[in-house]
Amino acid sequence: MATTPQNPDHKPPVPSDGAAVVLERKTQRVEPPKMYQVVLLNDDFTPMEFVVLVLQEYFNKDRETATQIMLKIHLEGRGVCGVFTHDLATTKVEQVLQAARHHGHPLQCLAEPVE
């Protein structure tokens, strides 16, 4: 059953005193999502080659870039693998930790907010 619209002419409502109604459009400012960097931490047991493979597999780094990041991790104790939204960063951390455990390595990975 069809209903008849309340205002078939689609005219804006007019107050009973005859004054016009002004509709204002307010623009909303949406903040960009907070970003997180995924960091790999150095340890004395995880093979360097495994770290390079993780960087290639989970962070889409080419071999040369992955090797440079791995050396930074080895020499400085930590290295940034990429910057992502919170959901993606936590997913990457879980994937890396799962892969490391599966291969018997104690590799540590974490996500920290970018300031």
Side-chain angles (χ1 to χ4, degrees):
M1 173 187 262
T3 59
T4 309
Q6 296 278 48
N7 190 354
D9 297 329
H10 301 289
K11 293 180 182 174
V14 177
S16 59
D17 64 0
V21 174
V22 176
L23 299 176
E24 248 181 70
R25 180 176 296 218
K26 291 187 178 185
T27 57
Q28 294 182 352
R29 293 194 59 130
V30 178
E31 294 292 325
K34 189 168 178 106
M35 301 303 282
Y36 290 78
Q37 59 187 11
V38 176
V39 178
L40 285 178
L41 303 177
N42 187 44
D43 64 71
D44 294 332
F45 304 101
T46 304
M48 292 179 180
E49 186 60 30
F50 181 76
V51 175
V52 170
L53 291 173
V54 163
L55 290 164
Q56 290 177 297
E57 176 79 21
Y58 298 103
F59 299 97
N60 298 318
K61 304 297 183 189
D62 59 62
R63 183 136 184 99
E64 183 179 335
T65 303
T67 302
Q68 290 172 353
I69 295 170
M70 177 275 297
L71 288 172
K72 181 176 176 68
I73 295 165
H74 180 70
L75 296 172
E76 297 178 17
R78 58 189 279 134
V80 176
C81 307
V83 177
F84 309 94
T85 60
H86 182 262
D87 290 345
L88 192 51
T90 54
T91 299
K92 297 264 186 205
V93 168
E94 288 304 316
Q95 289 174 328
V96 169
L97 292 175
Q98 187 176 21
R101 300 307 166 262
H102 178 74
H103 289 89
H105 302 304
L107 181 64
Q108 291 295 306
C109 183
L110 54 96
E112 48 189 36
V114 175
E115 297 300 324

